[in-house]
Amino acid sequence: MQEFFMDYGLWLLIALLVLIGLVFLLSGKRTSDGDTPAETITPPEAPHPAAAPPLADPVAVPPAPVAAETVEKTESVASVEPSVEPAPPVAAEPIPVSPAVAPPVGDAAPDDLLRLKGVGPKLKALLIELGVTRYEQIAAWTDADIAAIDARLGNFKGRPVRDQWVDQAKYLAAGDTAGFEAKYGKL
């Protein structure tokens, strides 16, 4: 018997730990009280409106006396101010796109934006959707352009500055592959 535990003791210990882990995981999540599983907690039901006790009868409160001066001031203000209806909600205007962000005119083939460090397939698709297809466009971005694009990048917000897209695009637009690789790594 001792030989059995010597040969298989470690495996038995591992099996016991796995079994304890499974029991723990399958026991379900507990509430902060620890008395019932979270899945079985049901919200208390609201009483049926018909079964609600009747409310007390409202009591008529006589109006408080108002000074004559207050009435005169109120009437004069009411006569001066015309009734103003609330203005309809104004839809948010889209951020204007600068010429540096606008798509290039002509038959220029789009650049491979995946060569920029920090730009993956999803971000490339988003940039193309925003009209950014050339390195020259990115290289010409100003701080205002970066802010406008950054506001529209969603989950990728902050990437143009953090990954230095403008500087990278300047190297790639100029065709300076050696300078790009020296600063940002191999393409």
Side-chain angles (χ1 to χ4, degrees):
M1 184 74 168
Q2 187 175 9
E3 288 178 14
F4 178 79
F5 285 116
M6 294 282 287
D7 293 339
Y8 299 105
L10 181 62
W11 291 109
L12 289 173
L13 182 62
I14 292 172
L16 181 62
L17 290 173
V18 168
L19 183 63
I20 291 171
L22 285 173
V23 168
F24 177 73
L25 289 175
L26 295 176
S27 66
K29 303 216 183 260
R30 299 279 177 187
T31 62
S32 60
D33 297 334
D35 55 341
T36 57
E39 291 101 20
T40 61
I41 296 176
T42 57
E45 293 183 23
H48 188 37
L55 299 174
D57 292 332
V59 178
V61 178
V66 179
E69 293 175 3
T70 308
V71 173
E72 290 174 7
K73 288 181 184 177
T74 307
E75 289 175 358
S76 65
V77 170
S79 63
V80 173
E81 294 180 21
S83 64
V84 179
E85 292 183 21
V90 178
E93 294 182 22
I95 300 172
V97 179
S98 73
V101 180
V105 180
D107 295 329
D111 290 325
D112 184 14
L113 298 178
L114 293 175
R115 294 179 74 188
L116 291 170
K117 302 294 181 178
V119 175
K122 289 183 180 179
L123 194 51
K124 176 186 174 187
L126 183 59
L127 287 172
I128 290 172
E129 182 180 308
L130 294 174
V132 179
T133 58
R134 310 271 308 151
Y135 298 134
E136 291 85 15
Q137 289 174 277
I138 299 172
W141 283 355
T142 62
D143 289 338
D145 297 329
I146 292 173
I149 288 291
D150 199 32
R152 299 173 75 192
L153 288 181
N155 291 338
F156 300 106
K157 187 173 184 150
R159 298 291 290 273
V161 174
R162 185 173 63 230
D163 294 333
Q164 301 173 353
W165 288 355
V166 174
D167 191 45
Q168 290 185 53
K170 286 179 183 176
Y171 282 110
L172 293 174
D176 186 7
T177 307
F180 179 87
E181 289 180 346
K183 188 167 183 178
Y184 296 104
K186 191 130 178 114
L187 281 175

